[in-house]
Amino acid sequence: MKYLASAALMAATFAAAPAFAADDSVTYRVEIHGGWDRVVVGGGKDTGATYGVGLGIDIPVGSMAFIGFEADADLSTTKECVTGVFFVGDRLCEKAGRDLAAVARAGVNVGSGIKLYVLGGYANARIKDSYTGTSPLIPSFKVSDNGNGWRIGTGTEVKLGKSAYTKIEYRYSNYEAGYERHQVIAGLGLGL
């Protein structure tokens, strides 16, 4: 339900975009990003890399502030495996799957082409489990599960030239069943 509400809010924002088209300070953003990903599941922790894409819009509020909306789709290399779970040589792995988010941003312009912002919204992540057995008593299997949750974060965005920008961002996401993650990402994008 939270996902549908966030998607509806995002759709309404982009549907209303033509009303902002006459204002040159409204910015539509497309970016690639990647960085550090630390996943915590049920007390276990593992670190890997995350990478993905983002789409967004920033709308000015007065001369110094802005609000915005962003949708992100990310993947992760974070994976942890243990052997000898039930039998000698068997292997159980847990891997972070895709990570989706729809967030709102609010911030201020603090200098020539520099933005500071905070963000918050909905997140949904997938965890994949696989077991490779060595005995017919417990066959090999693969399962995955999705978890709903929320994301908060903060970042800095710096304009490069006329339309490009770079950013660095910290994100914390909390999902269901004791699943959470910390991420520090860097991004490169275009503001149109």
Side-chain angles (χ1 to χ4, degrees), residues 72-118:
D72 294 302
D74 300 312
L75 296 173
S76 177
T77 66
T78 306
K79 181 177 182 178
E80 185 172 8
C81 296
V82 292
T83 57
V85 180
F86 302 111
F87 303 99
V88 174
D90 67 355
R91 181 177 165 129
L92 178 65
C93 294
E94 191 164 60
K95 182 180 185 329
R98 61 106 181 106
D99 186 22
L100 306 174
V103 299
R105 300 193 330 161
V108 294
N109 300 304
V110 295
S112 179
I114 301 173
K115 294 180 177 180
L116 299 179
Y117 61 88
V118 294

Side-chain angles (χ1 to χ4, degrees), residues 1-178:
M1 185 65 171
K2 292 178 190 175
Y3 177 71
L4 293 175
S6 297
L9 177 61
M10 185 66 73
T13 300
F14 283 108
F20 300 114
D23 186 348
D24 291 336
S25 56
V26 170
T27 305
Y28 300 92
R29 297 180 297 106
V30 58
E31 71 181 40
I32 57 172
H33 52 251
W36 176 79
D37 186 27
R38 182 175 181 100
V39 174
V40 179
V41 181
K45 301 173 187 174
D46 196 28
T47 301
T50 185
Y51 54 95
V53 296
L55 297 172
I57 182 173
D58 288 340
I59 305 161
V61 178
S63 61
M64 292 193 56
F66 69 93
I67 60 170
F69 302 95
E70 183 173 310
D72 294 302
D74 300 312
L75 296 173
S76 177
T77 66
T78 306
K79 181 177 182 178
E80 185 172 8
C81 296
V82 292
T83 57
V85 180
F86 302 111
F87 303 99
V88 174
D90 67 355
R91 181 177 165 129
L92 178 65
C93 294
E94 191 164 60
K95 182 180 185 329
R98 61 106 181 106
D99 186 22
L100 306 174
V103 299
R105 300 193 330 161
V108 294
N109 300 304
V110 295
S112 179
I114 301 173
K115 294 180 177 180
L116 299 179
Y117 61 88
V118 294
L119 61 88
Y122 172 78
N124 180 281
R126 178 171 292 159
I127 288 286
K128 299 177 179 180
D129 293 310
S130 63
Y131 175 76
T132 306
T134 57
S135 167
L137 297 174
I138 302 178
S140 298
F141 65 85
K142 291 182 181 181
V143 296
S144 65
D145 192 25
N146 297 335
N148 294 309
W150 49 270
R151 172 173 293 169
I152 57 173
T154 185
T156 302
E157 191 175 295
V158 179
K159 196 168 183 179
L160 303 173
K162 189 172 181 179
S163 60
Y165 68 88
T166 186
K167 76 175 187 180
I168 188 162
E169 184 175 282
Y170 167 76
R171 309 190 300 200
Y172 170 76
S173 303
N174 190 301
Y175 311 95
E176 300 170 293

